[in-house]
Amino acid sequence: MIVAVVLSAFASFLAVGLFLAVARRTRLLDRPGHRSSHTRPTPTGAGLALILALGATALAVGFEPAIPRLGAEAFAAEFRFLLGGALALSLLGLWDDARGVPALWRLLAQLLCAMGLVLTLPVPQPGLMALFVLALTWTMNAFNFMDGSDGMAGFQTVISGVFLAFLFHLSGDSGLMLASLAVAASALGFLPWNWPPARCFMGDAGSVPLGWLIGGLCLVGLVRDSVSWPAAILVLAVFHVDAGLTLLRRVGSGERWYTAHRTHVYQKLLAQGWTHGKVLLTYAILNVVIVAPALVFSGLAPRWGWAGPAAALMALVITWCVASLKLGERP
């Protein structure tokens, strides 16, 4: 397990460094625009290197029930499908980063991947299948919406992967625990390149696949009864609350909610003059102070059900509303 985690981080760090050199030579750059939080052209699309490094690690370690080749544990068998979907989404994202892909085509690809995963899982009710497809598609887009500040999506992947690994450890699911740690480690290997001030961006080639991987691991955990519903909802609660409430506010105010904007709380903070590092620290604190204790409580005291997670979600919603009022915008 240690070998797999170290290999994931190291391979990701090297792969992103190589990709950065290629992106500079080919002029694959994210140029500042009216929605941008950066001020100079920056290489983008490095998420593909992260995903390729993670896939190489998984091939080296192996999947259940195959005999592990490098580690003492093997990845959960479902992780093979998750990696395939992540690669497909990453390639589409790179195309979007380089030339642009219509939003409808991106959404259709996400829905197809989500439906493909759900159909491979033993989900008995059609209603639950539809819920899983919609939840996973939303998670991919929420991750993409929140990937607008240096280090944000990468750090959230690290902490969400660690959260999931803790929950899978409690349930004794070593295959999913290893997969979660590998995803977290790959994002950790990417962070030195994306830490404020960022030298490169993951782009849609990274944000959408990472949302797919974290969301997919949650769904697989639910189906395998390795994680509870309250805990699964909490794992990405910080991203879901900011992205979800911002969307609801835009719909309620009659805005064109499907168009690009800069009204997420983290974007407003940047517009107020906050540094990327300060914004990242703020969201990290929310994860550590609000989400982590609720997850520990939920994992160690499952008989209390929704008590801890509900309190954490309420705290995040109140925090979002207070921040919106402070920033001069009605929640």
Side-chain angles (χ1 to χ4, degrees):
M1 187 170 295
I2 293 174
V3 170
V5 170
V6 173
L7 184 60
S8 296
F10 187 66
S12 178
F13 178 79
L14 289 181
V16 172
L18 291 172
F19 183 91
L20 179 57
V22 173
R24 284 173 176 160
R25 293 178 71 105
T26 58
R27 310 298 293 174
L28 179 57
L29 303 175
D30 186 343
R31 301 184 185 279
H34 70 281
R35 290 185 59 242
S36 304
S37 300
H38 60 292
T39 58
R40 63 187 183 198
T42 304
T44 189
L48 176 62
L50 186 162
I51 298 301
L52 289 174
L54 178 61
T57 300
L59 290 175
V61 174
F63 302 89
E64 294 175 347
I67 300 174
R69 291 186 282 278
L70 289 180
E73 302 288 348
F75 289 105
E78 294 88 343
F79 194 48
R80 184 186 290 110
F81 188 94
L82 287 176
L83 286 171
L87 179 59
L89 290 167
S90 187
L91 290 171
L92 178 63
L94 184 65
W95 185 12
D96 187 37
D97 293 330
R99 300 186 178 276
V101 176
L104 179 59
W105 288 106
R106 298 198 306 269
L107 179 60
L108 287 175
Q110 293 163 10
L111 285 169
L112 285 173
C113 286
M115 285 188 289
L117 174 63
V118 171
L119 289 173
T120 66
L121 300 174
V123 182
Q125 299 91 359
L128 187 57
M129 294 175 69
L131 176 62
F132 279 175
V133 169
L134 293 176
L136 185 51
T137 303
W138 162 250
T139 298
M140 286 185 265
N141 283 282
F143 235 87
N144 193 27
F145 297 157
M146 297 297 292
D147 180 35
S149 182
D150 296 352
M152 181 78 80
F155 184 82
Q156 186 63 51
T157 302
V158 173
I159 200 164
S160 296
V162 171
F163 284 163
L164 279 173
F166 167 75
L167 296 171
F168 292 141
H169 170 70
L170 291 180
S171 66
D173 197 329
S174 62
L176 287 180
M177 180 177 69
L178 181 60
S180 301
L181 288 176
V183 172
S186 295
L188 184 64
F190 168 77
L191 273 180
W193 302 105
N194 189 235
W195 200 258
R199 284 181 279 178
C200 70
F201 300 144
M202 66 171 63
D204 285 12
S207 59
V208 173
L210 288 178
W212 153 266
L213 287 169
I214 295 294
L217 286 169
C218 287
L219 292 190
V220 174
L222 285 170
V223 173
R224 289 173 64 147
D225 202 25
S226 297
V227 66
S228 67
W229 277 91
I233 291 172
L234 268 182
V235 168
L236 281 172
V238 172
F239 270 21
H240 283 316
V241 167
D242 195 351
L245 292 183
T246 299
L247 178 63
L248 289 175
R249 180 181 61 198
R250 298 189 73 212
V251 171
S253 62
E255 297 180 41
R256 292 184 177 181
W257 55 269
Y258 48 85
T259 59
H261 64 96
R262 293 190 63 185
T263 58
H264 292 290
V265 166
Y266 81 89
Q267 292 171 320
K268 290 288 187 179
L269 292 173
L270 291 171
Q272 291 284 329
W274 283 40
T275 65
H276 289 266
K278 188 176 180 181
V279 171
L280 178 60
L281 177 62
T282 300
Y283 278 74
I285 290 173
L286 291 175
N287 273 293
V288 172
V289 174
I290 297 178
V291 178
L295 275 173
V296 172
F297 180 79
S298 177
L300 297 180
R303 63 183 181 278
W304 287 93
W306 285 92
L313 289 172
M314 183 60 67
L316 289 174
V317 170
I318 292 173
T319 301
W320 185 90
C321 291
V322 170
S324 295
L325 289 173
K326 290 283 188 181
L327 293 169
E329 192 163 352
R330 180 177 59 84

